[in-house]
Amino acid sequence: MFANLTSSMFVLGDYTSSDYAWFPENASTFATDNDWLFAVISIVCVLFFVPIAGALFYFAYKYQKPKGTPAESNTAHNTPLELAWSIGPSFFLVGMFIFGAKAYLDHRTVPDGANDIGLQAFSWGWTFNYGGGMYNPELHILLDEPTKLSMRSTDVIHSVFVPAFRAKKDVVPGRYNYMWFKPTVASEKVSDEVLQQAIDATEAAGGSWDFDRWQFTQDGYRFFDLFCTEYCGKNHSNMQTVVVVHETLEDLNAWIDQYSKRDPKMDPAKYGQTLYENRGCKGCHSLDGSKVVGPSFNQSYGNQRPFADGSGLVADENYLRESILYPKAKIVAGYKPVMPSYKGQLSDDDVYSLVEFLKTVSMYNKDAADENSAGVDPEDQGDEEEKAEAPAE
Ligand code: HEC
Ligand SMILES: [Cu+2]
């Protein structure tokens, strides 16, 4: 099942057991405290705003004078009144500060023994690091256990937001940041039947997994949404993924094992496609010839690559491997050196699988050319610099 499905994280819906208008589902230990504080502050604001604004309009109406009357003030100082309206509200302000600071400190103080998961944010996606070479775009955590995210960004400022957890934190390039939460609601699993139907429908359509339509993951779990909440560029709205809360450690570990590495029986190119989807390549490299942040993969393997320093070569396996592990070694002309290095993050077999995948999607690959987008004229693609030379023989 894992082998054949690819996923896109576009436009997730919001699974909740009930509709809501005010707050999303309450699914972490932060939610109750934060909602209560939010409600109290909102009510205090309304209780002050409405009478003050009302009095403003009422007095403006009551004491209006005919046009041309000279303005004059006849109010005297009223010390008790001024003290009352200064000191009275300051109790509310100090109260808000104390409860607000306490809530903030709660969010910043990670409990001992929290499970640590790495998070890398990039334009435009997320990669979670579960250790042992397991990376995945979905966040899977354990019920009733605190989880800490150690977060970094490879490019610009992003921000993690899980509305159901009431947890939100910026991910800033050049430094680590962290956040934590303790989920209190487990993700249900749909029945095998329902899951199989969704898998069949997805395969029949030849498309990628539609989270919005199914409202569960391709492993059959219901999920909470995770968004980027810091406008970070053109495809910011695609920066969404799912949070799945597992009830038992066994269940979580089984999921992690399943995605840890390629099943030896699986076709490397097929697995390479999963990595392409799951590991962020898709956000920067298209397969159809269009220029995204990086060159399209249908123009890579077997094609003459022009480099920024004026040199060039025909892309072979070694060049592709080097481009993945040491992206800054050779910069393709017309592109910025923004690709993050995957050294230490992809295993040897992962890189091999990706290279095999790149070969199958290249229009310059003689063996695969018939099945794939053969006939796309490179002259039609992109701008001056990336115009391809004649295909290599
Ligand atoms: C943040 C955007 C970004 C991500 C994510 C990214 N790349 Fe790139 N990639 C680029 C850019 C930009 C270039 C061209 C500049 C250069 O050569 O470094 C490039 C170049 C390449 C090249 C050389 C292509 C050619 O036609 O010469 C390969 C191969 C490649 N990337 C593979 C990958 C793989 C595999 C992944 C995922 C594991 C990936 N990239 C993820 C931006 C990205
Ligand atoms: Cu972002």
Side-chain angles (χ1 to χ4, degrees):
M1 132 179 76
F2 160 54
N4 301 322
L5 291 175
T6 58
S7 63
S8 76
M9 289 296 172
F10 299 163
V11 198
L12 302 189
D14 216 344
Y15 164 74
T16 51
S17 37
S18 61
D19 289 344
Y20 63 85
W22 186 233
F23 286 125
E25 193 163 358
N26 171 341
S28 87
T29 50
F30 291 144
T32 308
D33 280 358
N34 284 23
D35 292 356
W36 174 85
L37 189 56
F38 182 87
V40 168
I41 292 177
S42 303
I43 290 168
V44 168
C45 291
V46 169
L47 287 184
F48 275 84
F49 175 79
V50 170
I52 289 174
L56 178 82
F57 284 106
Y58 173 69
F59 290 135
Y61 172 77
K62 182 174 176 198
Y63 294 109
Q64 60 184 327
K65 297 264 164 67
K67 234 181 170 161
T69 318
E72 54 176 316
S73 167
N74 49 16
T75 47
H77 208 67
N78 187 329
T79 308
L81 187 59
E82 283 175 19
L83 283 179
W85 72 39
S86 304
I87 295 172
S90 67
F91 281 105
F92 285 101
L93 291 180
V94 170
M96 286 176 197
F97 170 77
I98 290 173
F99 284 104
K102 190 182 160 295
Y104 173 79
L105 290 175
D106 274 354
H107 281 258
R108 294 311 284 163
T109 314
V110 184
D112 285 345
N115 303 312
D116 205 331
I117 296 177
L119 164 57
Q120 188 181 335
F122 56 92
S123 301
W124 291 278
W126 314 95
T127 303
F128 295 95
N129 179 358
Y130 294 87
M134 156 58 174
Y135 296 84
N136 200 276
E138 296 180 6
L139 176 58
H140 286 240
I141 55 180
L142 197 53
L143 180 68
D144 287 332
E145 291 270 337
T147 294
K148 175 187 178 191
L149 297 180
S150 300
M151 315 191 291
R152 65 204 177 92
S153 166
T154 54
D155 36 52
V156 296
I157 301 183
H158 300 280
S159 185
V160 176
F161 182 30
V162 186
F165 292 174
R166 313 290 192 273
K168 179 155 139 179
K169 198 77 214 163
D170 277 10
V171 192
V172 184
R175 57 171 291 189
Y176 278 90
N177 204 351
Y178 65 90
M179 72 192 292
W180 78 279
F181 34 72
K182 183 166 155 183
T184 52
V185 177
S187 305
E188 306 162 34
K189 220 172 168 181
V190 301
S191 71
D192 290 349
E193 235 164 80
V194 172
L195 178 59
Q196 196 54 50
Q197 276 169 9
I199 290 173
D200 293 346
T202 304
E203 267 165 12
S208 48
W209 189 256
D210 188 341
F211 288 89
D212 203 24
R213 173 169 174 200
W214 306 118
Q215 294 297 310
F216 51 82
T217 72
Q218 52 189 289
D219 304 306
Y221 294 100
R222 301 284 188 187
F223 55 79
F224 301 109
D225 295 336
L226 185 156
F227 302 108
C228 177
T229 183
E230 177 87 48
Y231 179 68
C232 57
K234 191 171 62 141
N235 294 336
H236 162 67
S237 56
N238 293 347
M239 264 187 94
Q240 320 182 355
T241 186
V242 295
V243 184
V244 173
V245 179
H246 291 259
E247 227 157 322
T248 64
L249 186 60
E250 292 71 53
D251 198 50
L252 176 60
N253 282 340
W255 179 83
I256 290 177
D257 281 350
Q258 188 194 349
Y259 286 90
S260 285
K261 54 180 185 301
R262 178 170 69 91
D263 177 342
K265 292 191 290 289
M266 191 191 295
D267 173 27
K270 194 77 219 176
Y271 185 65
Q273 177 166 12
T274 324
L275 292 172
Y276 166 76
E277 309 265 349
N278 279 356
R279 300 303 305 280
C281 323
K282 191 178 176 181
C284 294
H285 296 282
S286 77
L287 300 180
D288 63 359
S290 53
K291 176 176 175 175
V292 193
V293 180
S296 174
F297 282 158
N298 89 343
Q299 287 156 23
S300 287
Y301 178 75
N303 178 27
Q304 174 73 30
R305 307 309 290 143
F307 298 127
D309 64 4
S311 64
L313 56 68
V314 173
D316 59 5
E317 286 94 336
N318 275 321
Y319 165 71
L320 296 180
R321 183 187 156 81
E322 183 189 63
S323 298
I324 297 169
L325 298 178
Y326 308 97
K328 300 205 168 42
K330 301 187 177 69
I331 306 297
V332 184
Y335 293 91
K336 298 201 183 74
V338 293
M339 175 166 158
S341 165
Y342 284 85
K343 187 167 171 14
Q345 300 201 21
L346 291 170
S347 71
D348 227 39
D349 185 72
D350 291 347
V351 176
Y352 164 68
S353 301
L354 274 168
V355 170
E356 290 306 303
F357 170 62
L358 289 186
K359 285 159 78 170
T360 65
V361 297
S362 167
M363 59 194 272
Y364 298 98
N365 181 356
K366 291 245 170 313
D367 315 333
D370 308 335
E371 311 155 28
N372 291 293
S373 41
V376 179
D377 180 354
E379 299 293 315
D380 292 345
Q381 312 295 333
D383 48 20
E384 282 313 301
E385 297 96 327
E386 58 167 329
K387 267 189 186 163
E389 310 282 345
E393 290 310 312

